[in-house]
């Protein structure tokens, strides 16, 4: 679940939604909808690239983390 991975990434870095939204150039409401899964379909490569820049990680690492979260939920 990509939206869960993005939420965990933000929380791991101790960042508030408002601060991350500013750094990503999106509204706080939009970020909240992404993290809750409401707008999960709206996560673009451009947005993932901005996440990668903010948190200084490769996009591929974000995707791998997302896949690991998703596979863990399936085995429960």
């Amino acid at each position: 679940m990509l939206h869960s991975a993005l939420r965990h990434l933000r929380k791991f870095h101790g960042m508030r939604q408002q601060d991350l939204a500013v750094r990503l150039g999106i509204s706080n409401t939009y970020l909240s909808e992404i993290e809750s899964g409401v707008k999960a379909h709206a996560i673009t490569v451009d947005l993932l690239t901005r996440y990668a820049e903010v948190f200084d990680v490769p996009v591929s690492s974000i995707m791998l983390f997302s896949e690991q979260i998703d596979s863990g939920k399936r085995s429960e």
Side-chain angles (χ1 to χ4, degrees):
M1 300 276 187
L2 185 54
H3 67 279
S4 294
L6 297 176
R7 183 180 67 248
H8 286 298
L9 186 61
R10 174 183 59 79
K11 288 183 174 187
F12 176 81
H13 287 276
M15 190 175 286
R16 297 180 317 150
Q17 276 187 338
Q18 299 91 322
D19 298 328
L20 180 56
V22 168
R23 298 217 26 212
L24 293 174
I26 61 176
S27 73
N28 187 50
T29 302
Y30 188 58
L31 179 58
S32 178
E33 291 173 339
I34 287 172
E35 288 188 357
S36 68
V38 171
K39 298 268 185 183
H41 64 281
I43 301 170
T44 63
V45 172
D46 178 59
L47 184 58
L48 281 176
T49 301
R50 287 186 268 162
Y51 264 93
E53 290 169 357
V54 167
F55 295 115
D56 194 28
V57 296
V59 172
S60 59
S61 293
I62 296 172
M63 298 303 294
L64 179 61
F65 180 48
S66 172
E67 289 176 18
Q68 290 173 338
I69 289 172
D70 195 32
S71 66
K73 288 185 177 180
R74 285 188 203 157
S75 63
E76 293 176 352

